[in-house]
Amino acid sequence: MPIASPEAYAEMLDRAKAGRYAYPAINVTSSQTLNAALKGFADAESDGIIQVSTGGAEYLSGPSVKDMVTGAVAFAAYAHEVAKKYPVNIALHTDHCPKDKLDKFVRPLMAISQERVKAGQEPLFQSHMWDGSAVPVAENLEIAAQLLDEAAKGKIVLEIEVGVVGGEEDGVENAINDKLYTTVEDGLAMVEALGLGEKGRYMAALTFGNVHGVYKPGNVKLRPEILNQIQEAVGAKHGKEKPLSLVFHGGSGSLLSEIREALDYGVVKMNIDTDTQYTFSRPVADHMFRNYDGVLKVDGEVGNKKMYDPRVWGKAAEAGMAARVAEACEHLRSTGTTMTK
């Protein structure tokens, strides 16, 4: 299937919320990790979301270029081509973008999609994230309203973050404290500023103790019931049941019971990065340790090309990551739900 159209993406999100499942949103930084994510979704017969962060986009542009827009455009162009060969719908997304990078990342990419739409084409990306967690809520929502207007012009879904995700992501680190919990008041203010779809479609990453990176279950107190409280408050005010499409950030190490509870409260997208980084790297480390005398030209020998050929250990890396993506689909209940069936 080609990359999901705006209409297909909207249907994906609607089906997920109605069916109480979510799509894994897999961060990638290369063609190999992109191919691994595609295979994982196909193996699980699940539609999905593949995303790139500001750091990932810069990396994709090459070490001597380091341009986020160039890397993001190259990633999207490659994804648009190879995704045609897979029997699932894939949406492309850009992950966390703080205020100081909006003009160097999200806004230029939105402008590209707007021009594509004017020319009768589909947008380059299906959704973009504005991460306003580092600014006051009022400023966060003011910028979100401006971006939502621009996103709507390009048939793009906007993702925003209201609250703070702890831990570290792309060099941005947040403390683990009470700010990790979005309040009902914050949720109501968000809807007051952005509406419920009439101004453009958006997803909300509301925080309930989430932390980026690696941590053991129990180290951080997740409170998924906060999502339900906000859904109920917004729903009661606007006469709608479960009106918000929610995003779960910082899910590595979460208990399956906590993940499933969040799905019941309207989470339709869950970001997965740390776990897939590890499952991509682990087979490479295994290969190198087991075959070091073939990978390295030890004591002047020639080594073994079959061992250091990047395709050999690259296939193992992709297989490891693809298996973790398929497992994520199972955890998020999206296995077998593709709209192509």
Side-chain angles (χ1 to χ4, degrees):
M1 296 294 292
I3 293 295
S5 66
E7 295 75 21
Y9 191 29
E11 185 178 351
M12 282 170 57
L13 299 177
D14 288 341
R15 284 165 58 108
K17 187 161 65 169
R20 297 193 173 194
Y21 61 88
Y23 300 107
I26 307 300
N27 281 73
V28 301
T29 55
S30 66
S31 61
Q32 284 188 302
T33 50
L34 169 61
N35 288 336
L38 287 169
K39 186 178 188 305
F41 284 123
D43 289 347
E45 297 185 321
S46 171
D47 300 324
I49 300 169
I50 297 178
Q51 60 191 22
V52 62
S53 66
T54 55
E58 182 181 275
Y59 181 82
L60 278 158
S61 74
S64 62
V65 177
K66 295 185 177 181
D67 181 80
M68 293 180 286
V69 172
T70 297
V73 171
F75 153 76
Y78 184 87
H80 274 266
E81 195 61 37
V82 297
K84 296 176 185 177
K85 302 294 184 179
Y86 289 85
V88 290
N89 292 287
I90 298 296
L92 303 182
H93 176 79
T94 61
D95 200 11
H96 293 268
C97 182
K99 182 180 177 181
D100 64 340
K101 294 182 180 177
L102 282 174
D103 289 340
K104 296 180 287 186
F105 191 52
V106 163
R107 288 193 174 108
L109 291 173
M110 281 189 176
I112 291 172
S113 286
Q114 288 170 0
E115 290 302 312
R116 287 170 61 98
V117 169
K118 287 179 183 178
Q121 301 173 325
E122 303 288 9
L124 188 63
F125 282 84
Q126 287 61 61
S127 51
H128 295 292
M129 182 189 176
W130 148 236
D131 183 354
S133 60
V135 301
V137 172
E139 183 182 1
N140 180 352
L141 296 178
E142 180 182 358
I143 294 173
Q146 297 167 358
L147 292 172
L148 185 61
D149 182 59
E150 293 302 312
K153 294 176 184 176
K155 297 184 178 180
I156 298 163
V157 176
L158 182 68
E159 179 184 332
I160 69 166
E161 184 170 314
V162 180
V164 176
V165 177
E168 188 269 336
E169 174 91 350
D170 260 2
V172 178
E173 187 165 357
N174 292 311
I176 298 174
N177 53 37
D178 288 344
K179 292 182 179 180
L180 301 187
Y181 304 97
T182 306
T183 66
V184 169
E185 291 72 25
D186 290 340
L188 291 170
M190 175 186 71
V191 174
E192 182 68 24
L194 304 182
L196 285 173
E198 68 277 8
K199 298 179 182 180
R201 182 151 192 163
Y202 67 94
M203 297 180 283
L206 306 181
T207 56
F208 51 100
N210 321 54
V211 174
H212 288 131
V214 181
Y215 64 94
K216 294 181 179 180
N219 284 12
V220 176
K221 177 61 177 175
L222 291 177
R223 296 173 53 199
E225 68 273 10
I226 287 176
L227 303 181
N228 191 42
Q229 293 166 5
I230 295 173
Q231 287 276 31
E232 289 183 342
V234 173
K237 183 173 181 178
H238 295 272
K240 295 184 178 182
E241 183 180 358
K242 204 158 66 173
L244 301 173
S245 295
L246 304 178
V247 180
F248 187 155
H249 284 220
S252 297
S254 300
L255 296 172
L256 184 57
S257 60
E258 295 170 332
I259 293 172
R260 294 277 174 84
E261 185 180 355
L263 302 184
D264 291 339
Y265 299 148
V267 166
V268 297
K269 172 180 180 281
M270 178 172 165
N271 289 15
I272 300 175
D273 187 14
T274 303
D275 285 356
T276 47
Q277 285 180 343
Y278 180 77
T279 53
F280 183 84
S281 300
R282 179 64 181 79
V284 179
D286 181 72
H287 176 87
M288 298 303 174
F289 280 120
R290 291 179 184 274
N291 301 287
Y292 73 92
D293 54 343
V295 173
L296 301 177
K297 297 182 179 181
V298 180
D299 294 334
E301 294 296 328
V302 296
N304 183 345
K305 183 181 183 302
K306 291 182 179 180
M307 292 295 103
Y308 60 75
D309 184 338
R311 291 170 294 183
V312 175
W313 49 265
K315 287 177 183 177
E318 289 181 31
M321 180 172 165
R324 180 64 182 87
V325 172
E327 180 184 50
C329 294
E330 182 66 27
H331 289 171
L332 299 184
R333 303 178 182 147
S334 72
T335 299
T337 64
T338 177
M339 297 192 302
T340 64
K341 293 180 67 176

